[in-house]
Amino acid sequence: MPDPSPPTSANYHHGNLREALIKAAVQLAEEGGPENVSVREAAKRVGVSPGAPFRHFASKTALMTAIAEEATSRFLAEIASAVREVAVDDPMGRFAAVGVAYLRWAIRNPTHFQIISNRSLIDWDGSASLQRDNAAIRALMEEALTEAQRRGLLASNDLAEAQIAGRALVYGLARMHIDGHFAQWRVDGETAERTAQNVLKHFTTLMGNR
Amino acid sequence: MPDPSPPTSANYHHGNLREALIKAAVQLAEEGGPENVSVREAAKRVGVSPGAPFRHFASKTALMTAIAEEATSRFLAEIASAVREVAVDDPMGRFAAVGVAYLRWAIRNPTHFQIISNRSLIDWDGSASLQRDNAAIRALMEEALTEAQRRGLLASNDLAEAQIAGRALVYGLARMHIDGHFAQWRVDGETAERTAQNVLKHFTTLMGNR
DNA sequence: GTCATGTGTAAGCACCGATTACATGGAAAT
DNA sequence: ATTTCCATGTAATCGGTGCTTACACATGAC
């Protein structure tokens, strides 16, 4: 009996192992959370030996970082797009748009949000794109609030405090959602997004001078 | 040369291995985060074989859950104590006190807060004390806001929304601190606690009817 | 056609959580 | 006082993990 599947020219070289590994790792995270991702299992699913992934990623952290880079890029794009749809002379509207878009993306992409929120799986300091995109997201929020204060549209007179508060609200709501805290109230997935956004909008108006 | 340290009667039975393991595990978490905890390493530090811990904890999760139970109990006690120091006819004051005490504990006990905030290391559903204590903490906050609304002291007319908002603010601030987000602003440990509490107090007054 | 390079395999390291069979020693029962 | 029993330890082992090293091969440049 001949070898049923020798490493012939057809499959010895995968062709796009890097992308395939990223896809497999994301799938593993979707099945059992980011902690469930294992390089070996991803390699197995792609049909490659356990050592192969390390030709493309120096470490498991590097693999997860690559996933985070892709995700953060899309995250930023969606937030920036939402901001662009608000009138330039409405900073509080831009601020609210950032928050709503942030939450919307986090809720609709829970796996990726969990990955980019997990400090221990990712090498933040080692990725220029991660730092740049995250800074850009922060800048979008900060610009809106700074401009709002300049125009006297902000209730608080402490800009830093308002920025931290806004960030905490959005981040807290997003984390409550992915950590399952909403189940402690009666909120059921479907309404979670609407509820969180209502809370956010209510507070952005509360932060504004009306 | 005789056996230098045989398992004689003096040390064959540890005496209080359970507590010793908990202490060692907490120390490991303090050194490198909750992910750094390993049952084997804790056993080694206590001077016991790798299998011994499993006589006292059915799994690593059970060990971490035991740590979380102790921590949550102290967490609740401190919050309850802070609430008791506020006048009974000042529900918004109680609400603020819960938030401040919550944040204060989280900031001063970052290791334990990280452990009790990590859903994947702990068996939440399997611990009655964890569920009870967490429910008690939630109840303290909810009671305050509910009473505030009953007395017409709440700006929002949606109680559930206000509760989620309050929770999100406190939780978001706490997580931002342990996740190192405050470093992105100029906040430096010392002032982090004061800043977070200022933000919280500012918003509790914003939430109130004045 | 030859060869260098990139990309895979195979084997193996140290560590991990967890299980099993066995050893031990203290306390309770007689 | 002796025996018995059981909680609590050890030793060995299993499958899984991240990661490294030595080697094989397929492919593109020359």
Side-chain angles (χ1 to χ4, degrees), chain A residues 183-198:
Chain A
Q184 294 176 340
W185 279 272
R186 80 272 172 263
V187 187
D188 60 341
E190 168 66 25
T191 56
E193 184 171 340
R194 196 159 33 81
T195 301
Q197 291 182 356
N198 282 345

Side-chain angles (χ1 to χ4, degrees), chain B:
Chain B
M1 186 173 174
D3 197 340
S5 69
T8 60
S9 76
N11 59 359
Y12 184 91
H13 282 284
H14 182 280
N16 203 353
L17 184 53
R18 188 189 155 92
E19 298 305 315
L21 285 169
I22 289 180
K23 208 182 273 186
V26 168
Q27 197 177 330
L28 284 169
E30 259 154 13
E31 290 171 14
E35 325 281 345
N36 189 46
V37 176
S38 106
V39 179
R40 290 181 100 93
E41 180 63 23
K44 189 189 291 182
R45 293 200 178 190
V46 172
V48 97
S49 75
F54 292 92
R55 291 286 181 196
H56 299 270
F57 302 99
S59 66
K60 175 180 181 176
T61 300
L63 168 58
M64 301 306 284
T65 302
I67 297 175
E69 284 171 348
E70 274 190 12
T72 303
S73 171
R74 289 199 290 267
F75 192 19
L76 168 60
E78 197 158 308
I79 293 176
S81 163
V83 168
R84 249 179 268 113
E85 290 177 4
V86 180
V88 284
D89 64 337
D90 180 11
M92 282 308 287
R94 279 204 300 282
F95 177 71
V98 171
V100 169
Y102 187 111
L103 259 178
R104 180 186 158 98
W105 193 89
I107 290 174
R108 299 200 177 181
N109 305 274
T111 299
H112 285 94
F113 188 78
Q114 260 179 298
I115 292 173
I116 69 177
S117 297
N118 193 322
R119 204 162 189 74
S120 65
L121 291 177
I122 298 175
D123 178 20
W124 287 90
D125 302 331
S127 166
S129 96
L130 269 181
Q131 286 184 285
R132 170 173 38 81
D133 290 348
N134 269 311
I137 293 172
R138 223 180 321 130
L140 280 172
M141 198 187 85
E142 293 185 2
E143 180 279 333
L145 272 193
T146 304
E147 180 65 13
Q149 192 193 42
R150 204 184 62 79
R151 300 194 183 202
L153 299 173
L154 203 59
S156 169
N157 48 6
D158 189 328
L159 180 58
E161 220 175 83
Q163 276 169 355
I164 292 176
R167 181 87 177 184
L169 241 185
V170 174
Y171 188 62
L173 284 169
R175 286 220 62 112
M176 280 174 66
H177 181 258
I178 67 170
D179 291 350
H181 290 203
F182 276 142
Q184 294 176 341
W185 280 272
R186 80 276 173 259
V187 187
D188 61 341
E190 169 64 26
T191 57
E193 184 172 338
R194 195 159 34 80
T195 301
Q197 290 181 356
N198 282 345
V199 169
L200 191 54
K201 281 179 178 167
H202 181 76
F203 263 76
T204 51
T205 61
L206 222 58
M207 286 174 71
N209 252 338
R210 292 296 145 96

Side-chain angles (χ1 to χ4, degrees), chain A residues 56-104:
Chain A
H56 299 269
F57 302 99
S59 66
K60 175 181 182 176
T61 299
L63 168 58
M64 301 306 284
T65 302
I67 297 175
E69 283 171 349
E70 274 190 11
T72 303
S73 170
R74 288 199 292 264
F75 193 18
L76 167 60
E78 197 159 309
I79 293 176
S81 163
V83 167
R84 248 179 269 114
E85 291 177 2
V86 180
V88 284
D89 64 339
D90 181 11
M92 283 307 287
R94 279 206 300 280
F95 178 70
V98 172
V100 169
Y102 186 110
L103 258 177
R104 180 186 159 97

Side-chain angles (χ1 to χ4, degrees), chain A residues 117-129:
Chain A
S117 297
N118 193 323
R119 203 158 189 76
S120 65
L121 291 178
I122 298 174
D123 179 19
W124 286 91
D125 301 331
S127 166
S129 96

